[in-house]
Amino acid sequence: MLVRPLIPRLISRPLLALCWVIPAAFATLLAGAHETDLSGVYQGHASASDAAKRVFTLNLASDGTAMLTTQYIGKNNSTMHGRWTKSGRQIVLTFDSMGPNGPPRPITFRHRNHELSPVHWDPNEWGRAGPPVLHRAHVAQGGL
């Protein structure tokens, strides 16, 4: 006995293709939307050979402002304010002027997954090794 399919073959193939394409398209859109929101807190530690034992915390606000705090273990913190911009996978961090000396030169980071890797910096300001790789911090949401 020959059984006829419930959905004609001309309709079933495109329908099956849509079942594969639609979820993939939504996954791509969601991943792209999540990827573009880089605002948040990133932290990193200077290398073990760093005599100052510095800890870096970079706060990228969604309005394009930035704050880089350098914690010197056993000493006072240093905070610099500025702005950040994104171009492709690169983040450029520019600083506001600090007194009569003018601002430090910008730092360029490459964004990948949940980390910012420095690719260009002023070695006079940050040393030959430069700032460390900064990893997105998991900050608790909400209040007490």
Side-chain angles (χ1 to χ4, degrees):
M1 171 174 198
L2 184 61
V3 178
R4 298 184 84 175
L6 293 175
I7 301 174
R9 194 174 263 188
L10 291 176
I11 296 174
S12 66
R13 286 185 182 174
L15 192 59
L16 183 60
L18 282 176
C19 290
W20 284 93
V21 171
I22 290 174
F26 278 115
T28 302
L29 286 174
L30 290 174
H34 184 269
E35 185 73 23
T36 58
D37 183 20
L38 300 178
S39 60
V41 178
Y42 296 82
Q43 295 180 324
H45 300 271
S47 67
S49 63
D50 181 50
K53 306 294 183 215
R54 297 174 292 177
V55 176
F56 297 86
T57 303
L58 176 60
N59 188 334
L60 301 179
S62 58
D63 66 356
T65 58
M67 183 171 60
L68 177 64
T69 302
T70 305
Q71 177 184 5
Y72 297 88
I73 304 302
K75 298 180 182 177
N76 291 333
N77 296 346
S78 168
T79 301
M80 295 188 287
H81 296 271
R83 300 199 58 75
W84 67 279
T85 57
K86 178 181 183 277
S87 177
R89 290 211 169 274
Q90 291 199 339
I91 305 296
V92 178
L93 179 61
T94 55
F95 298 101
D96 296 340
S97 291
M98 298 176 5
N101 296 332
R105 297 184 70 167
I107 301 174
T108 302
F109 294 94
R110 179 178 302 118
H111 174 254
R112 183 171 176 222
N113 297 327
H114 299 286
E115 66 183 34
L116 299 175
S117 301
V119 293
H120 185 70
W121 61 89
D122 181 359
N124 294 323
E125 178 74 30
W126 302 101
R128 260 185 54 195
V133 173
L134 303 176
H135 302 274
R136 188 171 198 130
H138 299 285
V139 178
Q141 299 293 319
L144 297 172

